[in-house]
C-alpha cells in the first residue's frame, strides 16, 4: 500500500507502550503468577502474555467471575510495581525511535491501555522520557488523546492501535513486535508495517522529507 501524506514541520508522534516500546511479557507474566498465588485462582500466565494489548479487565474476565474482575484488577495494579517493572526491558529501537521524532523537532507521546501510573513507572525505570503519557485508553478510545495532542502518526503493535490511529485521522504505523503479525496489521488498514522500531527512524526520515508512506 502506498499513500501520500504531507508531514508537518514538527509532527507529534504517538507510541503505544506494551510490545511497541517495551517487552512487558516478563513483568506481566511475573505479576500474573503472583496474582494467581495471592488469589488462589488458576491463571495461565503464558497464555495471558501472548495476547497483550486489550485492557486488563478483558484478560481477567477469562479467569475470574464478572463480579470480581474490578476488585482483582485493582489488586493487580497495586502489585504491578513490585513484580513487573524491573524485569521489563525496552524493545530494540525504542529510544532511537523517540530520538528520531525529537531530532525532527517533533513531540513524542505515549498513548496506552495500561494503567497510567504504571506506564510512567516503566518509562522512568528505562530512562525513556516522552513529552506526555496518557493511559487507560484502548483501540478507538486512543483517538481522544491523539486528537488532543494533534498527533500526525500513531505507532503500535496491535490491530486495536491501527483502529485508534484511523479513528483519530492519524497515519497508522504498525510494528510486528507484538501479538499481531504483518498480515493482520495490513488487513486492519495500517498505512505502514515495520518489523520493529529499529526500522522507524528511516521510515520517519522519509516521511518528514517527502511525506511518503510505504508498507
Amino acid at each position: 500500500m502506498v499513500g501520500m501524506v504531507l508531514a508537518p514541520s514538527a509532527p507529534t508522534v504517538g507510541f503505544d507502550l506494551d510490545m511497541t516500546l517495551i517487552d512487558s511479557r516478563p513483568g506481566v507474566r511475573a505479576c500474573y503468577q503472583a496474582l494467581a498465588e495471592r488469589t488462589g485462582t488458576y491463571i495461565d500466565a503464558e497464555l495471558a502474555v501472548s495476547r497483550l494489548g486489550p485492557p486488563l479487565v478483558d484478560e481477567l474476565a477469562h479467569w475470574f467471575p464478572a463480579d470480581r474482575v474490578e476488585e482483582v484488577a485493582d489488586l493487580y495494579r497495586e502489585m504491578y510495581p513490585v513484580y513487573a517493572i524491573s524485569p521489563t526491558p525496552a524493545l530494540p529501537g525504542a529510544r532511537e525511535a523517540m530520538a528520531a521524532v525529537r531530532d525532527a523537532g517533533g513531540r513524542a507521546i505515549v498513548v496506552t491501555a495500561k494503567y497510567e501510573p504504571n506506564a510512567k513507572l516503566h518509562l522512568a525505570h528505562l530512562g525513556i522520557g516522552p513529552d506526555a503519557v496518557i493511559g487507560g485508553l484502548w483501540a478507538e478510545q486512543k483517538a481522544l488523546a491523539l486528537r488532543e495532542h494533534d498527533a500526525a502518526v500513531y505507532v503500535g503493535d496491535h490491530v486495536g492501535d491501527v483502529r485508534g490511529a484511523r479513528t483519530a485521522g492519524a497515519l497508522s504505523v504498525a510494528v510486528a513486535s507484538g501479538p499481531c503479525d504483518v498480515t493482520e496489521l495490513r488487513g486492519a488498514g495500517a498505512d505502514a508495517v515495520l518489523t520493529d522500531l529499529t526500522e522507524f527512524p528511516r521510515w520517519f526520515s522519509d516521511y518528514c522529507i517527502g511525506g511518503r508512506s510505504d508498507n
Side-chain angles (χ1 to χ4, degrees):
M1 174 179 175
V2 178
M4 297 300 294
V5 180
L6 295 179
S9 57
T12 294
V13 177
F15 293 88
D16 178 47
L17 184 64
D18 288 353
M19 303 312 301
T20 298
L21 290 172
I22 65 173
D23 183 354
S24 51
R25 291 172 297 184
V28 170
R29 182 186 298 110
C31 196
Y32 274 128
Q33 289 168 342
L35 182 69
E37 184 176 350
R38 175 81 71 89
T39 61
T41 301
Y42 173 74
I43 299 172
D44 186 336
E46 292 297 331
L47 178 58
V49 300
S50 74
R51 51 192 185 197
L52 293 174
L56 170 63
V57 293
D58 289 10
E59 182 61 42
L60 292 177
H62 293 290
W63 313 109
F64 295 88
D67 61 354
R68 291 200 63 204
V69 166
E70 290 296 338
E71 164 207 342
V72 176
D74 287 342
L75 177 60
Y76 175 95
R77 295 181 187 112
E78 178 185 324
M79 297 170 64
Y80 193 92
V82 175
Y83 293 96
I85 303 301
S86 294
T88 297
L91 280 166
R95 293 180 176 86
E96 293 81 359
M98 285 206 169
V101 177
R102 298 263 176 68
D103 290 348
R107 298 175 71 248
I109 67 172
V110 172
V111 183
T112 174
K114 189 177 290 296
Y115 180 54
E116 188 173 305
N118 289 338
K120 290 178 176 178
L121 287 176
H122 275 300
L123 294 164
H125 176 75
L126 295 170
I128 299 174
D131 294 286
V133 179
I134 305 95
L137 299 176
W138 163 241
E140 288 84 355
Q141 296 173 340
K142 292 186 174 188
L144 299 172
L146 296 173
R147 287 171 176 156
E148 179 182 352
H149 289 269
D150 197 24
V153 177
Y154 185 59
V155 186
D157 66 283
H158 199 282
V159 293
D161 298 322
V162 177
R163 299 202 308 269
R166 294 179 69 84
T167 301
L171 199 71
S172 171
V173 176
V175 286
S177 50
C180 300
D181 63 23
V182 170
T183 300
E184 289 177 278
L185 295 166
R186 284 180 174 157
D191 295 290
V193 180
L194 311 178
T195 302
D196 57 33
L197 283 180
T198 63
E199 298 178 3
F200 180 82
R202 180 177 178 180
W203 177 89
F204 189 66
S205 176
D206 290 345
Y207 165 68
C208 288
I209 292 171
R212 182 179 176 183
S213 169
D214 293 321
N215 69 333

